[in-house]
Amino acid sequence: MACPSVCHCIEKNGLTVVQCMSRNLEKIPSDLPRDTVILLLAANHITHVPNHAFKELHYLQELDLSNNDIETVDVGSFQGVSDSLLVLDLSNNRIESVPKEAFARLRAKISLSNNPWHCECTLQEVLRELRLDPETVNEVICHTAVQEEYAGKPVIQVLDSGINFCNFHHKTTDVAMFVTMFGWFTMVIAYVIYYVRHNQEDARRHLEYLKSLPSNSQISKDFDTISTVL
C-alpha cells in the first residue's frame, strides 16, 4: 500500500518506517502500509485506539502513541500485532483505565507513564501481566485511587508494599450488598408492621360491630315481655 498522504514513509535498514508525528491527526490512519515495521504517531490529537486498529500490520515491531490525547483503549486494539510487537509507548496521554484484556498476549515492552491512572483492581490485574518499561515504571502514578491515601504515589511502589486493590473492590461490593439487603429487610419489616396494624384495625371494627348487636339473652327477655302482654 502507498504511504498515507499525511505521513512520511522511509526505508531504514530494509525496514519500513512510517512517520506520522506532529501532523494534527485526530485518529489513527487506516491506509498504513502492511509491511510497516515502525509506526510513529506521537504528538498528535488522537483520543481513541479502536478495535483492530493495527490488525493488518503483521510485521509491526515498534508503535509510538505517546503525547496524544488518548482516553480510551478498546479491548481489541492490539489484536493482530501481539506476536510481532516489541515496543509500545502510550506515555503522556489521558488514560485513566483500560480493559483487562486490552494487552492480552502482548510481549512488548510497554510505557504507560504520565497518564492520570485510577488505581483499582482492574489496573492491578492489567499491570500484573505486562512487561513494563523499567526506565519509566516509577512514572506510572496513581492520579486517583479507591483509597485516597494512595493518590499521587507510583503504582508499583504501592503494590510492592503489599496493598491489594482487589481487596478494596471486594469490600466495597460487600458493603453495597449489605446496604441493599438491609434496605430490603427494612421494607419487609415495614410491610409486616403495616399488615398487622391494618388487620388490628379491621379486627377492632369487627368487634365493635359485634358488640353493637343485641345479645341472645336480651332477645329472649324481649320475647318473654311480648308474650306476657299478649
Side-chain angles (χ1 to χ4, degrees), residues 3-81:
C3 186
S5 59
V6 295
C7 303
H8 177 59
C9 299
I10 61 174
E11 289 287 332
K12 185 176 181 181
N13 299 325
L15 305 178
T16 301
V17 179
V18 181
Q19 297 180 343
C20 308
M21 300 177 295
S22 302
R23 302 301 174 95
N24 292 317
L25 297 177
E26 295 183 356
K27 62 181 182 178
I28 298 168
S30 59
D31 54 347
L32 296 165
R34 293 188 179 183
D35 61 348
T36 300
V37 174
I38 299 175
L39 177 56
L40 307 176
L41 288 162
N44 283 291
H45 301 293
I46 298 169
T47 59
H48 175 216
V49 185
N51 286 319
H52 311 296
F54 313 102
K55 68 176 182 177
E56 302 296 336
L57 308 183
H58 301 301
Y59 303 101
L60 187 64
Q61 295 182 13
E62 182 177 337
L63 174 58
D64 187 355
L65 287 162
S66 64
N67 294 288
N68 274 280
D69 300 317
I70 297 172
E71 295 180 350
T72 55
V73 177
D74 286 349
V75 171
S77 294
F78 305 106
Q79 286 184 1
V81 298

Side-chain angles (χ1 to χ4, degrees), residues 14-188:
L15 305 178
T16 301
V17 179
V18 181
Q19 297 180 343
C20 308
M21 300 177 295
S22 302
R23 302 301 174 95
N24 292 317
L25 297 177
E26 295 183 356
K27 62 181 182 178
I28 298 168
S30 59
D31 54 347
L32 296 165
R34 293 188 179 183
D35 61 348
T36 300
V37 174
I38 299 175
L39 177 56
L40 307 176
L41 288 162
N44 283 291
H45 301 293
I46 298 169
T47 59
H48 175 216
V49 185
N51 286 319
H52 311 296
F54 313 102
K55 68 176 182 177
E56 302 296 336
L57 308 183
H58 301 301
Y59 303 101
L60 187 64
Q61 295 182 13
E62 182 177 337
L63 174 58
D64 187 355
L65 287 162
S66 64
N67 294 288
N68 274 280
D69 300 317
I70 297 172
E71 295 180 350
T72 55
V73 177
D74 286 349
V75 171
S77 294
F78 305 106
Q79 286 184 1
V81 298
S82 58
D83 292 331
S84 62
L85 196 63
L86 300 177
V87 178
L88 172 60
D89 193 344
L90 284 165
S91 62
N92 296 289
N93 279 285
R94 301 181 180 180
I95 307 170
E96 296 182 8
S97 63
V98 291
K100 184 179 178 181
E101 302 81 7
F103 301 119
R105 296 185 298 278
L106 277 182
R107 300 177 299 169
K109 180 175 66 175
I110 302 176
S111 177
L112 299 173
S113 60
N114 297 311
N115 280 283
W117 293 107
H118 176 62
C119 290
E120 39 75 50
C121 184
T122 300
L123 180 62
Q124 175 179 312
E125 293 180 340
V126 167
L127 295 181
R128 183 183 297 137
E129 305 297 328
L130 297 187
R131 181 178 160 227
L132 293 175
D133 177 12
E135 295 182 4
T136 61
V137 67
N138 288 322
E139 296 171 12
V140 182
I141 308 293
C142 296
H143 183 69
T144 57
V146 288
Q147 293 287 101
E148 291 185 7
E149 61 190 284
Y150 303 117
K153 295 182 179 180
V155 182
I156 298 302
Q157 177 183 318
V158 173
L159 296 179
D160 285 348
S161 69
I163 298 302
N164 188 338
F165 289 121
C166 294
N167 284 344
F168 297 127
H169 173 76
H170 294 319
K171 288 179 181 178
T172 302
T173 303
D174 291 343
V175 170
M177 185 178 295
F178 174 78
V179 171
T180 301
M181 292 179 63
F182 181 78
W184 280 106
F185 181 74
T186 302
M187 291 176 62
V188 170

